Amino acid sequence: MILPIHRLIFLFFLSTTFVSHHNAFALPVGNYSNPISVREAVGPTPDELIAGYRYVSKTKADEYNKAGTLTVIPATTKSIGEGAYLSPRLGEFPGKLDETYWECVIFAQKSKILSQLNPKFFVDDKAAISAQPTKLFLYAHKHGFEIGKTVLFSRHFVFKNTLQMLIPPIFLVKSPSNPSRPAGTNSLGLRIHCVPLGGLGKNRPAADWQNWSIHNWPAAVKTREEPV
């Protein structure tokens, strides 16, 4: 049966309207293995918390988004070792931020990142945070922690008021752009979402590192204000 021309035009309009409406609610770029709402895609689920924020080139951001988590992309600077460096607050970047960079928010499974089975240690020693592996190793060893198997925290070695978190490669997955680099597994339940600068907004909550029971964490150091 041949439909009248006005009926065909109506059906075409209806189909294109549906496709546009459907795409308007598509998830942001990323690899989400389970059904997840748009809000959850850019915010923590009830089982997650904010681990921190990271600024990278678009090429690295694309790799992270495709993997849905952090990969073993080599660190640009290695003040406290190799791995992925995070900041506790959105917009906190040591030095001048390249305007072509993308901003990423990283979430972690509460039960995994807060578990005592995944050690966390604050490196509170000037020499140990200045890209001197031997001094870092000795300082951590003195406190009973093993470099490479411990999530590390410290002040930035140049910008003293800036904090950083290092997730070592044992907790990161393979990098397609660096296939020969040793990697581990996503045992912290990390999830990442990267967008161009400004895409995450301006009022994102800070990571609550001071309440993660991190060994050697200085009492005076706060990543977010405590409620009065």
Side-chain angles (χ1 to χ4, degrees):
M1 180 180 66
I2 300 176
L3 295 175
I5 187 65
H6 68 276
R7 184 73 180 276
L8 290 172
I9 293 173
F10 171 75
L11 291 175
F12 174 77
F13 174 78
L14 183 64
S15 65
T16 55
T17 301
F18 173 78
V19 170
S20 298
H21 176 77
H22 176 74
N23 287 341
F25 290 92
L27 289 176
V29 176
N31 180 17
Y32 307 104
S33 57
N34 298 313
I36 191 168
S37 71
V38 174
R39 180 190 64 79
E40 290 170 329
V42 292
T45 67
D47 297 327
E48 295 176 328
L49 48 68
I50 295 174
Y53 299 90
R54 181 163 166 76
Y55 292 86
V56 295
S57 66
K58 182 181 183 302
T59 300
K60 294 178 181 179
D62 287 343
E63 179 171 314
Y64 287 154
N65 278 336
K66 187 173 182 180
T69 186
L70 289 166
T71 66
V72 288
I73 293 174
T76 304
T77 59
K78 303 175 177 64
S79 59
I80 51 174
E82 182 60 81
Y85 284 80
L86 276 60
S87 299
R89 290 175 284 269
L90 181 65
E92 187 170 284
F93 182 83
K96 185 178 180 181
L97 183 61
D98 189 324
E99 293 183 358
T100 66
Y101 269 27
W102 282 38
E103 57 191 24
C104 307
V105 56
I106 297 91
F107 308 104
Q109 289 288 323
K110 292 178 184 177
S111 61
K112 296 178 179 180
I113 192 72
L114 300 180
S115 172
Q116 294 301 313
L117 298 177
N118 292 315
K120 297 169 288 294
F121 177 61
F122 190 95
V123 183
D124 197 14
D125 180 88
K126 291 181 180 179
I129 64 172
S130 55
Q132 299 188 54
T134 300
K135 292 184 178 181
L136 175 63
F137 170 83
L138 292 174
Y139 182 79
H141 181 73
K142 181 176 70 174
H143 289 268
F145 290 87
E146 185 176 353
I147 297 300
K149 295 184 179 180
T150 303
V151 179
L152 298 179
F153 299 80
S154 77
R155 298 176 179 86
H156 191 273
F157 68 101
V158 175
F159 303 93
K160 303 301 182 182
N161 294 325
T162 302
L163 298 173
Q164 60 185 8
M165 169 187 183
L166 171 67
I167 303 176
I170 195 173
F171 300 111
L172 309 177
V173 303
K174 278 282 187 183
S175 167
S177 61
N178 301 270
S180 63
R181 296 188 67 83
T185 60
N186 186 15
S187 56
L188 297 179
L190 302 174
R191 180 168 65 88
I192 192 168
H193 177 68
C194 300
V195 294
L197 284 183
L200 292 176
K202 296 182 179 180
N203 299 312
R204 288 268 165 181
D208 196 19
W209 293 350
Q210 74 242 29
N211 291 316
W212 284 13
S213 299
I214 297 166
H215 186 81
N216 207 39
W217 184 274
V221 173
K222 306 292 183 184
T223 58
R224 61 189 298 179
E225 294 297 326
E226 299 282 9
V228 178

